[in-house]
Amino acid sequence: MNENFMKEEPVLPLITSMALPMVISMMVNSLYNIVDSFFVAQISEDAMTALSLVFPVQNFINAVSIGFGVGINALIAYYLGAGEGETANRAAVHGMALSALHGVVLMAACIAIMPQFLSAFTNNAQVIDMGVRYSNIAFSFSLIIMLGLAFEKIFQAVGNMKVTMIALMAGCITNIILDPLLIFGIGPFPEWGIEGAAVATGIGQIVTLLIYLFVYKNYPLRIRLSRRYLTCDAGLDFKLYAIGIPATLNLALPSLLVSSLNTILAAFSQSYIVVLGIYYKLQTFLYLPANGIIQGMRPLIGFNYGAGEHERVRKIYNTTLVLNAGIMLGGTVICLTVPDVLMAMFTDNAVTVEAGAQALRIICAGFIVSAVSVTDCGALEGLGKGVPSLVISLLRYVVIIIPAAWLLSRSFGAQGVWHAFWLAELVTAAAAQLVYKRFSK
C-alpha cells in the first residue's frame, strides 16, 4: 500500500473507502445491541429495565477504552504524516500499556459499585439482582475490551480499516449467535438467563481481540509493538492523555445524561425509564454508522494535518458533514413513520409502546442538526484539539439538556424530557460551529 495514500487520493473516494468498513461494522454492532436487548426483553420487562440501568456504567467502560484509543489513533496518524515512524511506534506501545492498566482498574471499580449504583434508581429487588448478575460477568471482560480497542485504533491510524471491520463483525456475529443459546439454554447449552447475555458479549470481545493478534503477528503493519519502546516518556504520555481524557469524557457524558434523565423520569413512571433505554438502543443505528464515518475521517485529518495539508483537511471535514447529515435524515424519516413498530420490538406493553412512539417522534426533530456537533467533535479530535471537542460535548450532554429536561418536566411531565433533546441539539450545533471555526484555523 502507498504510505502516502491518505494525502494523495481524491477526498470523497478516500473517505468512503476508509469509512465504509467502519460503517458496516458499526451497523453490525448496532444489530448486536438490538438483538441483545430483544432477547433480554424476552426474559421479562424487569430484565430489560436492569439492562437499561446497567447501560450507563457499561457505556463508561467503553468510553474510556474508545476515548483513550482516540488519543492513540490521533498521535500515531499525526506522527506518520510528519514522517516520524519511531515516535509513532512509541505512541502505540505506551497507549497499549496504559490501556491494559485502565482495564484492570475499571473492572475492579465498576463491579464494586454496581449494587449501590442500581439501588439509587430502583427499589425493585429483582431488577437490582439481575443488574448485578449481568454486570459482574460483563465487567470482568474490561481488560479484553481495552486491549481490543487499542488494537482497533492502531489499525485505523495506518488506514487498515478492513481488518477492523472483520474483527468487529466477527465479535458481534459471535455474540448474536450465542445470545439465544446461552440465555434460553437451546440444545446442549445451559440456560443462564441474563448472565448468558453477558457471557455471549464477553466471548464476542475475545474473538475480536484474537483476530487483531493474529493479523498483527502474521501480516506486516507500519506500526510495530516492542518492549524497547516502553521507556519513560512523560511528554508522550501527557499527549496521549491530553487527547484521550477529553475524548473519554465526550463518550462518557451520555452515561451521565442517561443517569440524570433516569432520575427525572423515575418520578413519573418506570415505563419511561424503559422507553429511554430502548431509545438509546435504537439510536445506535444512527450514531454508530455516523461514528464509523468519523473513525474513517479522524486518521485522515490527523495525517494531513501532520503533513501540512490544511486545505485538504477542510475538504475532508465538509465531505464528512454531508455524509453524516444524510444518515440523520434517514433516521428522522423512520422515526416519524414507524415509531410504534420500533418500540414493539422490545416490549409488548401497550402503554410503553405508545409512550415510546410519542418520544421518538419528538426526539427525532434534533437528528439532522446533530450531525454538525458530531462531525465537529471528531474533526477537532483528529486535529489533536481535545479540550474544544469536550466543550461541545459538555454543551450537548450536560450544560443544556439536563437543566432543560428538568425545567420542561416541571411543566409538561415526561414529554418535557423528550423536547429537551431537540432543543439541546439545536443550541449545541450553533455553538459547535463557533468553536470549530475558532480552533481549526
Side-chain angles (χ1 to χ4, degrees):
M1 179 183 292
N2 176 11
E3 293 187 351
N4 292 315
F5 76 99
M6 290 191 193
K7 68 175 184 178
E8 294 177 355
E9 297 290 330
V11 170
L12 180 58
L14 180 60
I15 292 179
T16 303
S17 65
M18 292 282 285
L20 187 58
M22 296 313 304
V23 171
I24 293 173
S25 60
M26 291 297 98
M27 288 298 291
V28 173
N29 192 59
S30 297
L31 178 62
Y32 142 67
N33 282 323
I34 297 297
V35 171
D36 191 57
S37 297
F38 173 80
F39 285 123
V40 169
Q42 306 310 304
I43 301 173
S44 67
E45 188 161 300
D46 280 347
M48 188 62 201
T49 303
L51 203 63
S52 299
L53 292 176
V54 171
F55 172 78
V57 180
Q58 200 168 16
N59 187 63
F60 176 74
I61 293 175
N62 289 330
V64 173
S65 59
I66 297 171
F68 189 71
V70 168
I72 299 171
N73 178 285
L75 282 189
I76 292 174
Y78 175 84
Y79 286 125
L80 289 177
E84 301 179 29
E86 286 293 294
T87 309
N89 288 338
R90 194 157 57 250
V93 171
H94 279 241
M96 186 68 72
L98 291 170
S99 293
L101 177 62
H102 300 159
V104 174
V105 172
L106 283 174
M107 176 182 64
C110 291
I111 289 176
I113 69 168
M114 281 313 295
Q116 292 76 21
F117 178 84
L118 293 169
S119 298
F121 300 101
T122 180
N123 56 8
N124 186 321
Q126 181 74 4
V127 170
I128 294 173
D129 177 63
M130 285 185 167
V132 169
R133 284 155 45 199
Y134 177 86
S135 59
N136 282 348
I137 296 173
F139 297 165
S140 296
F141 293 92
S142 297
L143 175 60
I144 303 297
I145 295 172
M146 294 291 172
L147 294 178
L149 263 297
F151 265 115
E152 174 186 311
K153 299 308 177 187
I154 290 173
F155 276 94
Q156 289 176 359
V158 301
N160 198 335
M161 301 299 196
K162 290 183 180 178
V163 171
T164 301
M165 176 186 71
I166 293 170
L168 288 175
M169 288 181 64
C172 290
I173 292 171
T174 299
N175 195 343
I176 290 171
I177 293 172
L178 289 178
D179 255 341
L181 300 179
L182 294 177
I183 291 174
F184 305 115
I186 298 174
F189 294 89
E191 183 179 351
W192 283 343
I194 198 166
E195 290 101 324
V199 172
T201 299
I203 293 174
Q205 290 158 349
I206 290 174
V207 169
T208 296
L209 178 58
L210 289 176
I211 290 175
Y212 284 133
L213 290 171
F214 175 82
V215 174
Y216 173 79
K217 183 176 180 180
N218 292 281
Y219 296 91
L221 193 70
R222 290 184 67 184
I223 292 298
R224 300 308 301 169
L225 303 176
S226 172
R227 282 184 294 179
R228 70 187 180 91
Y229 295 115
L230 197 59
T231 55
C232 182
D233 193 334
L236 182 64
D237 293 341
F238 176 81
K239 290 178 181 178
L240 285 168
Y241 281 111
I243 303 172
I245 289 178
T248 297
L249 293 174
N250 283 345
L251 294 163
L253 288 175
S255 296
L256 174 62
L257 172 61
V258 171
S259 297
S260 299
L261 295 184
N262 278 340
T263 301
I264 296 171
L265 293 169
F268 300 101
S269 170
Q270 181 171 296
S271 294
Y272 292 122
I273 294 178
V274 176
V275 168
L276 186 66
I278 293 174
Y279 162 69
Y280 271 99
K281 295 294 182 181
L282 290 170
Q283 60 101 39
T284 57
F285 270 119
L286 294 179
Y287 289 104
L288 282 184
N291 183 49
I293 294 177
I294 295 297
Q295 290 189 52
M297 173 198 71
R298 194 184 290 121
L300 294 177
I301 282 185
F303 190 96
N304 283 278
Y305 178 54
E309 300 285 342
H310 297 161
E311 180 59 32
R312 188 171 172 84
V313 169
R314 282 189 284 272
K315 290 181 180 178
I316 293 169
Y317 165 82
N318 290 331
T319 304
T320 302
L321 179 59
V322 171
L323 292 173
N324 280 339
I327 291 175
M328 296 305 163
L329 174 61
T332 302
V333 172
I334 293 172
C335 286
L336 286 175
T337 53
V338 290
D340 50 340
V341 174
L342 296 175
M343 295 301 299
M345 293 169 58
F346 302 96
T347 178
D348 56 4
N349 186 318
V351 174
T352 303
V353 170
E354 182 180 355
Q358 190 173 20
L360 289 180
R361 291 191 186 98
I362 296 171
I363 293 172
C364 73
F367 284 172
I368 297 175
V369 73
S370 72
V372 175
S373 53
V374 169
T375 304
D376 287 353
C377 281
L380 287 167
E381 289 168 351
L383 293 170
K385 309 293 184 181
V387 174
S389 176
L390 176 59
V391 170
I392 295 173
S393 291
L394 282 170
L395 290 172
R396 186 178 181 213
Y397 292 117
V398 179
V399 176
I400 298 171
I401 189 171
I402 294 177
W406 185 83
L407 289 171
L408 292 173
S409 70
R410 299 304 95 185
S411 301
F412 305 105
Q415 303 305 313
V417 175
W418 313 137
H419 282 288
F421 276 86
W422 66 262
L423 178 63
E425 295 292 6
L426 185 63
V427 176
T428 302
Q433 276 295 282
L434 295 176
V435 173
Y436 181 75
K437 287 180 180 179
R438 177 181 177 185
F439 287 95
S440 63
K441 289 183 179 179

